[in-house]
Amino acid sequence: MRIRYIRRPHAGLSGKVYLLDLDNTLHHASTHILPEINRQMTHYLAEHLELDPQRASELRTQYWLRYGATLLGMMRHHQTNPHHFLASTHRFEGLKKLSSRHGSVPHRLSKLPGLRIMLTNAPRAYAVALCKEMGLYRHLHAIIAIEDMVVHQTWRPKPANILWPNLKSKLKGKRALLVDDTFGHLEQAARHGIQTSWITFPGLGFKPRQLTGKVKHRIRQFEAIRTAKF
């Protein structure tokens, strides 16, 4: 597993690490971007597995629910090249028009008093392009994209159980907080001693649920991340 640094943190930075998801955490993705990614993935499955669109959509969802990422199902059952799949299913023209930043996220991000690492199941090229469009890239210290989450030569993106102890070893004992919109990711991280904050924006259509187990902190806007204690 690799942490790819954009810039090295300065010496006076606190020992805290903010692990920040991308889609629906740093920006609103449900309105335009995620539906388009789902459409592209469905088209990929239909074309490469010779399926009708409905069956391709069902299989895409089935793999996502079972493995946490459609990509993993494609690799396991169809020997799909992961780099080809990611490049083919994250093609966008005019990302700036599709993305919707909430609040003053770049300013708030720059004020977080610790190491700021994006931890996303999205491919690196998409994550970097989107962050540059939204003015976020220059405020991050590092990006861990799905291509970096390889443990023992096997792709292990969120929420894989083996991911978290490997990540903690890379952070060398620093206190870490995961901010993510996917509850299952938070649950797995919390089991390994990583503090968590569940971000749920109003109007995105998520079903209401209660906080359970070790996931005890919820925010509804990015600036509230500073209220998390870790």
Side-chain angles (χ1 to χ4, degrees), residues 6-218:
I6 299 168
R7 58 188 58 80
R8 291 289 173 176
H10 59 78
L13 206 62
S14 78
K16 294 181 177 180
V17 179
Y18 294 87
L19 301 169
L20 307 166
D21 181 45
L22 175 57
D23 293 330
N24 281 341
T25 297
L26 292 177
H27 76 113
H28 292 307
S30 288
T31 304
H32 300 295
I33 287 183
L34 290 183
E36 176 59 19
I37 291 174
N38 288 341
R39 187 198 68 78
Q40 292 185 27
M41 287 188 179
T42 297
H43 177 76
Y44 187 98
L45 267 65
E47 181 178 18
H48 290 270
L49 304 182
E50 299 182 352
L51 303 173
D52 64 73
Q54 181 176 343
R55 176 56 186 148
S57 181
E58 292 171 351
L59 190 60
R60 170 183 59 79
T61 303
Q62 177 184 327
Y63 286 161
W64 177 72
L65 291 172
R66 182 175 179 181
Y67 299 111
T70 301
L71 169 62
L72 298 189
M74 292 295 289
M75 292 172 66
R76 177 168 297 191
H77 297 286
H78 310 285
Q79 295 73 54
T80 297
N81 181 296
H83 301 286
H84 183 263
F85 178 86
L86 293 170
S88 301
T89 57
H90 290 76
R91 293 175 174 171
F92 291 94
E93 293 182 7
L95 264 177
K96 192 171 185 177
K97 295 180 181 179
L98 294 175
S99 60
S100 176
R101 201 175 64 214
H102 44 273
S104 52
V105 173
H107 173 74
R108 302 291 183 181
L109 181 61
S110 70
K111 298 299 181 183
L112 293 179
L115 190 65
R116 301 180 289 272
I117 300 177
M118 178 178 294
L119 181 68
T120 176
N121 279 0
R124 171 168 293 274
Y126 160 81
V128 168
L130 185 57
C131 285
K132 287 182 176 179
E133 287 287 2
M134 295 190 296
L136 303 173
Y137 187 76
R138 66 182 181 273
H139 300 305
L140 293 167
H141 293 106
I143 293 178
I144 303 174
I146 192 170
E147 300 99 320
D148 303 310
M149 300 183 209
V150 178
V151 182
H152 303 316
Q153 300 183 327
T154 302
W155 290 52
R156 298 294 190 189
K158 297 182 291 185
N161 188 55
I162 199 173
L163 170 70
W164 309 106
N166 275 266
L167 176 56
K168 286 183 70 176
S169 70
K170 297 288 185 182
L171 298 177
K172 299 179 180 179
K174 292 184 174 67
R175 291 170 293 160
L177 173 74
L178 173 65
V179 184
D180 204 305
D181 68 298
T182 302
F183 199 84
H185 297 171
L186 299 168
E187 286 183 309
Q188 286 293 341
R191 291 190 181 108
H192 292 275
I194 295 173
Q195 295 298 308
T196 59
S197 187
W198 184 28
I199 187 164
T200 57
F201 300 117
L204 291 184
F206 295 126
K207 295 180 180 179
R209 64 178 297 171
Q210 298 297 316
L211 295 179
T212 59
K214 294 182 178 293
V215 181
K216 302 181 184 301
H217 188 257
R218 173 190 284 163

